[in-house]
Amino acid sequence: MIEPAHSARSFELAFAGRRVPTPYDVIGNGPDALLLPALSSISARVEMRALAKDLGHAYRCLVPDWPGFGDHVRARVPLNPGTMHAFLDALLAAAPGPYALGVGAGHAAGYLIAAARRHPRAFERLVLVAPTWRGPLPTAMGPERKGLFAGLRRAVELPLLGDALYRINISRPVIGRMMRAHVYADPDHVTPGVIADKHAITRQNGGRFGTAAFVTGGLDPVENRKAFLDQFEAPGLPPVLVLRPERAPRRSGAEMDALVATGRVARAFIPGALSPHEEYPGEVADAIRAA
């Protein structure tokens, strides 16, 4: 099958008190779809490319990088939930759609739902792929250690010392272990080439700031499970499908199951762990089409 058309472009979006260069891909033809990559130390819009190419036979997919993330030099903006909400508002002002489909992976899920509430006519339906709302350290250690997390973030953001700490903790061996532990479901998929590509993303200028914010919970869109679930009570919210990976880590999977248990969303099971859209793009595309 012939691959759909693909072009790389850039917006100059006004938010956080400045104009921010925002690279994005346009893939395919058809009704508009917005695909938001996950927020993580190794995230970039390229992780959505295979899924967008599959969906691109039926949709025109817009795939942006989040501020502070991506495989390019990152603009220095305050990395907090307010900035991320403002980014999506600016994006929807520049490319208003309307979108037949909105897809959010991982932490993008909470921001996509919030944007759909603020822009009630922007999306026809939403798909949340392995949705999360709590960063790695709060998930592993509990929210009561917020002071420790804030201190760690400040340390990584320091000149010289922070960069040294970042390089130690985002080395190729560390990335490989992390991906095998909870990002990919099949360790054989974590090849040296995949690790090298992810390591290159982390080495972009300014990369440590996004990582420090995400890992310590500084980009969590809400503070607790109740606040996350309450977002789905909004009247007029478009239909929401949760794609629940079969091998999601226990704590993250429990949050996905709690969302499904509210009865406010539909659910489909897919293979994978925390990045199924990247590891199993064909299966994710099939689940989206089948809904």
Side-chain angles (χ1 to χ4, degrees):
M1 185 180 293
I2 298 175
E3 285 195 354
H6 174 197
S7 62
R9 308 178 189 180
S10 183
F11 288 122
E12 289 282 334
L13 298 181
F15 63 94
R18 58 171 295 179
R19 300 193 68 82
V20 181
T22 302
Y24 67 99
D25 293 333
V26 176
I27 299 174
N29 292 285
D32 284 345
L34 177 63
L35 276 58
L36 298 175
L39 294 171
S40 80
S41 305
I42 54 177
S43 72
R45 71 187 190 279
V46 67
E47 73 186 40
M48 283 286 188
R49 192 161 292 166
L51 175 61
K53 286 182 178 180
D54 198 323
L55 293 175
H57 297 287
Y59 295 95
R60 179 179 178 270
C61 300
L62 190 158
V63 190
D65 271 321
W66 288 96
F69 296 86
D71 55 357
H72 54 87
V73 176
R74 289 94 180 272
R76 190 75 170 96
V77 295
L79 290 174
N80 54 51
T83 292
M84 298 307 186
H85 291 306
F87 162 73
L88 283 184
D89 287 342
L91 179 66
L92 291 174
Y99 294 92
L101 175 67
V103 180
H107 253 46
Y111 289 108
L112 178 61
I113 288 294
R117 294 179 66 179
R118 294 193 305 275
H119 304 270
R121 291 177 292 278
F123 300 97
E124 184 176 327
R125 67 183 181 118
L126 302 175
V127 177
L128 311 182
V129 184
T132 59
W133 60 265
R134 189 173 53 195
L137 286 182
T139 296
M141 302 173 67
E144 62 275 5
R145 300 190 180 183
K146 281 186 178 181
L148 172 62
F149 305 151
L152 289 172
R153 177 176 179 177
R154 286 193 296 270
V156 175
E157 290 177 342
L158 287 172
L160 301 179
L161 173 62
D163 193 54
L165 291 171
Y166 177 67
R167 287 176 179 271
I168 291 170
N169 286 282
I170 305 293
S171 64
R172 291 192 186 197
V174 170
I175 289 172
R177 288 196 297 271
M178 173 179 67
M179 292 192 69
R180 294 184 188 96
H182 55 259
V183 179
Y184 279 16
D186 187 342
D188 289 341
H189 292 167
V190 186
T191 64
V194 168
I195 294 172
D197 289 343
K198 295 298 187 182
H199 186 252
I201 291 171
T202 69
R203 297 312 307 144
Q204 294 298 325
N205 185 42
R208 74 182 191 274
F209 299 106
T211 290
F214 169 72
V215 170
T216 59
L219 293 178
D220 293 355
V222 294
E223 292 189 355
N224 53 57
R225 177 189 287 183
K226 182 180 185 303
F228 182 66
L229 300 182
D230 284 350
Q231 294 185 103
F232 295 83
E233 286 187 325
L237 197 67
V240 179
L241 171 67
V242 170
L243 298 185
R244 204 285 195 195
E246 294 167 344
R247 295 183 61 184
R250 178 176 59 85
R251 291 187 178 93
S252 297
E255 299 302 326
M256 301 174 205
D257 294 338
L259 173 56
V260 172
T262 64
R264 301 166 193 158
V265 301
R267 177 185 65 185
F269 285 102
I270 53 172
L274 286 183
S275 193
H277 56 288
E278 185 175 19
E279 188 180 9
Y280 296 101
E283 289 83 347
V284 171
D286 288 344
I288 291 172
R289 283 189 288 262

